[in-house]
Protein backbone atom coordinates (compact mmCIF):
# COMPACT_ATOMS: atom_id res chain seq x y z
CA UNK A 1 0.00 0.00 0.00
CA UNK A 2 1.37 3.38 -0.91
CA UNK A 3 2.70 5.53 1.90
CA UNK A 4 0.34 8.51 1.60
CA UNK A 5 -2.68 6.24 1.95
CA UNK A 6 -1.33 4.39 4.99
CA UNK A 7 -0.42 7.68 6.61
CA UNK A 8 -3.86 9.11 5.88
CA UNK A 9 -5.68 6.58 8.02
CA UNK A 10 -3.04 5.87 10.70
CA UNK A 11 -2.27 9.44 11.69
CA UNK A 12 -4.66 11.70 13.51
CA UNK A 13 -6.09 14.60 11.57
CA UNK A 14 -4.39 17.94 12.03
CA UNK A 15 -6.92 20.46 13.29
CA UNK A 16 -6.55 23.86 11.64
CA UNK A 17 -8.71 26.90 11.08
CA UNK A 18 -9.44 25.49 7.62
CA UNK A 19 -10.32 22.01 8.84
CA UNK A 20 -12.06 20.11 6.05
CA UNK A 21 -15.54 18.74 6.42
CA UNK A 22 -15.57 15.00 5.84
CA UNK A 23 -18.23 12.81 4.25
CA UNK A 24 -18.55 9.05 3.89
CA UNK A 25 -20.04 7.93 0.58
CA UNK A 26 -20.94 4.23 0.71
CA UNK A 27 -21.75 2.20 -2.37
CA UNK A 28 -23.37 -1.13 -1.56
CA UNK A 29 -22.55 -4.30 -3.47
CA UNK A 30 -20.97 -7.73 -3.38
CA UNK A 31 -17.32 -8.46 -4.08
CA UNK A 32 -16.28 -10.86 -6.81
CA UNK A 33 -16.14 -10.78 -10.61
CA UNK A 34 -19.46 -12.61 -10.89
CA UNK A 35 -21.27 -9.64 -9.29
CA UNK A 36 -19.63 -6.74 -11.11
CA UNK A 37 -22.38 -6.06 -13.65
CA UNK A 38 -25.37 -7.14 -11.57
CA UNK A 39 -28.24 -4.88 -10.58
CA UNK A 40 -27.52 -5.40 -6.88
CA UNK A 41 -24.07 -3.85 -7.37
CA UNK A 42 -25.19 -0.44 -8.58
CA UNK A 43 -23.63 1.15 -5.48
CA UNK A 44 -20.20 -0.17 -6.46
CA UNK A 45 -20.78 0.79 -10.09
CA UNK A 46 -21.62 4.39 -9.22
CA UNK A 47 -18.52 4.79 -7.04
CA UNK A 48 -16.31 3.17 -9.69
CA UNK A 49 -17.69 5.61 -12.26
CA UNK A 50 -17.11 8.56 -9.93
CA UNK A 51 -13.54 7.46 -9.20
CA UNK A 52 -12.71 7.05 -12.88
CA UNK A 53 -14.27 10.42 -13.75
CA UNK A 54 -12.26 12.20 -11.03
CA UNK A 55 -9.04 10.21 -11.65
CA UNK A 56 -8.82 8.76 -8.16
CA UNK A 57 -8.07 5.16 -7.20
CA UNK A 58 -9.44 2.74 -4.65
CA UNK A 59 -7.09 1.06 -2.19
CA UNK A 60 -7.87 -2.03 -0.16
CA UNK A 61 -8.17 -1.20 3.53
CA UNK A 62 -9.96 -2.66 6.53
CA UNK A 63 -13.45 -3.97 5.65
CA UNK A 64 -13.47 -2.42 2.21
CA UNK A 65 -11.92 -0.56 -0.69
CA UNK A 66 -11.61 3.17 -0.09
CA UNK A 67 -10.72 6.25 -2.09
CA UNK A 68 -10.39 9.90 -1.13
CA UNK A 69 -11.67 12.88 -3.10
CA UNK A 70 -11.26 16.51 -2.08
CA UNK A 71 -13.36 19.36 -3.40
CA UNK A 72 -13.79 22.95 -2.17
CA UNK A 73 -12.82 22.31 1.46
CA UNK A 74 -14.62 18.98 1.68
CA UNK A 75 -13.14 15.51 1.86
CA UNK A 76 -15.19 12.62 0.50
CA UNK A 77 -14.22 9.14 1.60
CA UNK A 78 -15.66 6.63 -0.88
CA UNK A 79 -16.25 3.17 0.55
CA UNK A 80 -17.06 -0.14 -1.14
CA UNK A 81 -17.48 -2.67 1.70
CA UNK A 82 -15.81 -6.04 1.10
CA UNK A 83 -18.00 -7.77 3.68
CA UNK A 84 -20.65 -8.87 1.16
CA UNK A 85 -24.02 -7.18 1.23
CA UNK A 86 -25.43 -8.81 4.37
CA UNK A 87 -22.66 -7.42 6.59
CA UNK A 88 -22.30 -3.95 5.07
CA UNK A 89 -23.01 -2.32 8.42
CA UNK A 90 -19.69 -3.53 9.84
CA UNK A 91 -17.74 -1.53 7.29
CA UNK A 92 -19.96 1.54 7.56
CA UNK A 93 -19.74 1.65 11.35
CA UNK A 94 -15.98 1.08 11.36
CA UNK A 95 -15.19 3.93 8.97
CA UNK A 96 -17.69 6.30 10.56
CA UNK A 97 -16.05 5.78 13.94
CA UNK A 98 -12.50 5.79 12.62
CA UNK A 99 -12.95 9.06 10.74
CA UNK A 100 -15.37 10.56 13.30
CA UNK A 101 -18.05 11.16 10.67
CA UNK A 102 -21.57 11.97 11.84
CA UNK A 103 -24.45 9.96 10.41
CA UNK A 104 -25.79 13.11 8.72
CA UNK A 105 -22.62 13.14 6.62
CA UNK A 106 -22.91 9.62 5.24
CA UNK A 107 -24.67 8.79 2.00
CA UNK A 108 -25.52 5.15 1.32
CA UNK A 109 -26.08 4.25 -2.33
CA UNK A 110 -28.25 1.22 -2.95
CA UNK A 111 -30.48 -0.49 -5.50
CA UNK A 112 -34.27 -0.31 -5.11
CA UNK A 113 -36.77 -2.74 -6.59
CA UNK A 114 -39.68 -0.41 -5.87
CA UNK A 115 -38.46 2.26 -8.29
CA UNK A 116 -38.47 2.03 -12.06
CA UNK A 117 -35.10 1.67 -13.73
CA UNK A 118 -32.84 4.67 -13.22
CA UNK A 119 -35.27 6.56 -11.00
CA UNK A 120 -33.47 8.47 -8.26
CA UNK A 121 -34.78 8.92 -4.75
CA UNK A 122 -32.69 10.57 -2.05
CA UNK A 123 -34.03 10.48 1.49
CA UNK A 124 -32.99 11.62 4.96
CA UNK A 125 -34.10 8.35 6.54
CA UNK A 126 -36.36 5.36 5.95
CA UNK A 127 -36.93 1.67 6.41
CA UNK A 128 -34.61 -0.98 5.02
CA UNK A 129 -37.31 -1.95 2.51
CA UNK A 130 -36.23 -5.58 2.75
CA UNK A 131 -32.72 -4.72 1.52
CA UNK A 132 -30.13 -6.81 3.36
CA UNK A 133 -27.41 -4.16 3.12
CA UNK A 134 -29.65 -1.52 4.66
CA UNK A 135 -30.80 -4.00 7.31
CA UNK A 136 -27.20 -4.53 8.37
CA UNK A 137 -26.45 -0.81 8.49
CA UNK A 138 -29.58 -0.05 10.50
CA UNK A 139 -28.77 -2.84 12.95
CA UNK A 140 -25.14 -1.80 13.50
CA UNK A 141 -25.84 1.93 13.69
CA UNK A 142 -29.02 1.34 15.71
CA UNK A 143 -30.88 3.89 13.63
CA UNK A 144 -32.66 4.28 10.31
CA UNK A 145 -31.98 8.00 10.25
CA UNK A 146 -29.12 8.37 7.82
CA UNK A 147 -29.15 9.70 4.24
CA UNK A 148 -29.56 7.18 1.46
CA UNK A 149 -29.56 7.39 -2.32
CA UNK A 150 -31.83 4.77 -3.87
CA UNK A 151 -31.29 3.87 -7.52
CA UNK A 152 -34.26 2.18 -9.17
CA UNK A 153 -33.73 -1.21 -10.78
CA UNK A 154 -37.48 -1.90 -11.28
CA UNK A 155 -39.28 -5.15 -10.43
CA UNK A 156 -39.65 -6.81 -13.82
CA UNK A 157 -39.42 -10.39 -12.62
CA UNK A 158 -41.84 -13.25 -12.19
CA UNK A 159 -42.95 -14.54 -8.80
CA UNK A 160 -40.17 -16.43 -7.05
CA UNK A 161 -37.43 -14.99 -9.27
CA UNK A 162 -36.47 -11.92 -7.25
CA UNK A 163 -33.03 -13.20 -6.24
CA UNK A 164 -32.15 -14.18 -9.80
CA UNK A 165 -33.32 -10.80 -11.04
CA UNK A 166 -31.43 -8.75 -8.46
CA UNK A 167 -28.26 -10.78 -8.97
CA UNK A 168 -28.75 -10.79 -12.72
CA UNK A 169 -26.95 -8.51 -15.16
CA UNK A 170 -28.39 -5.41 -16.80
CA UNK A 171 -30.28 -6.03 -20.01
CA UNK A 172 -29.43 -4.36 -23.33
CA UNK A 173 -31.82 -1.45 -22.87
CA UNK A 174 -30.61 -0.77 -19.31
CA UNK A 175 -26.97 -0.88 -20.40
CA UNK A 176 -27.71 1.72 -23.07
CA UNK A 177 -29.24 4.07 -20.51
CA UNK A 178 -26.75 3.52 -17.67
CA UNK A 179 -24.05 6.02 -18.75
CA UNK A 180 -26.39 9.00 -18.40
CA UNK A 181 -27.67 7.70 -15.06
CA UNK A 182 -24.13 7.19 -13.78
CA UNK A 183 -23.21 10.75 -14.73
CA UNK A 184 -26.27 12.03 -12.87
CA UNK A 185 -25.30 9.93 -9.86
CA UNK A 186 -21.81 11.46 -9.83
CA UNK A 187 -23.41 14.91 -9.77
CA UNK A 188 -25.51 13.84 -6.78
CA UNK A 189 -22.45 12.80 -4.79
CA UNK A 190 -20.83 16.19 -5.30
CA UNK A 191 -24.06 18.02 -4.55
CA UNK A 192 -24.50 16.14 -1.29
CA UNK A 193 -21.14 17.40 -0.05
CA UNK A 194 -21.31 20.91 -1.49
CA UNK A 195 -24.99 21.90 -1.43
CA UNK A 196 -26.30 19.73 1.39
CA UNK A 197 -28.90 16.99 1.59
CA UNK A 198 -32.07 19.08 1.30
CA UNK A 199 -30.87 20.99 -1.75
CA UNK A 200 -29.73 17.75 -3.35
CA UNK A 201 -33.12 16.13 -2.78
CA UNK A 202 -34.88 19.15 -4.31
CA UNK A 203 -32.59 19.16 -7.30
CA UNK A 204 -32.39 15.46 -8.17
CA UNK A 205 -35.30 13.48 -6.76
CA UNK A 206 -37.40 12.03 -9.54
CA UNK A 207 -34.92 12.99 -12.25
Amino acid sequence: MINWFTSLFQNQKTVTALDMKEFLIVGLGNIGAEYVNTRHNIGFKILDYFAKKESISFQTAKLGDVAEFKIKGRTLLLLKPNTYMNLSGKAVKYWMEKENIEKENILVITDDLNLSFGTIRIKTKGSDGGHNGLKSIQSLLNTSEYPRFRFGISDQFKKGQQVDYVLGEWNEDENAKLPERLEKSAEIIKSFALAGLNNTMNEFNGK
Side-chain angles (χ1 to χ4, degrees), residues 21 36 44 61 97 110 122-123 145 149 155 163 199 201:
K21 195 169 186 180
V36 170
F44 279 15
E97 292 179 347
T110 180
I122 305 154
K123 301 180 69 177
E145 296 186 359
F149 164 12
D155 59 355
V163 173
N199 288 331
M201 289 191 296

Side-chain angles (χ1 to χ4, degrees), residues 16 47 123 206:
T16 69
L47 291 194
K123 301 180 69 177

Side-chain angles (χ1 to χ4, degrees), residues 38-66:
T38 62
R39 296 180 178 91
H40 214 27
N41 266 43
I42 188 61
F44 279 15
K45 197 171 189 70
I46 288 171
L47 291 194
D48 285 338
Y49 179 89
F50 186 93
K52 183 176 181 179
K53 177 181 173 66
E54 301 299 338
S55 301
I56 57 176
S57 300
F58 281 94
Q59 302 284 343
T60 298
K62 186 170 181 178
L63 298 177
D65 289 350
V66 296

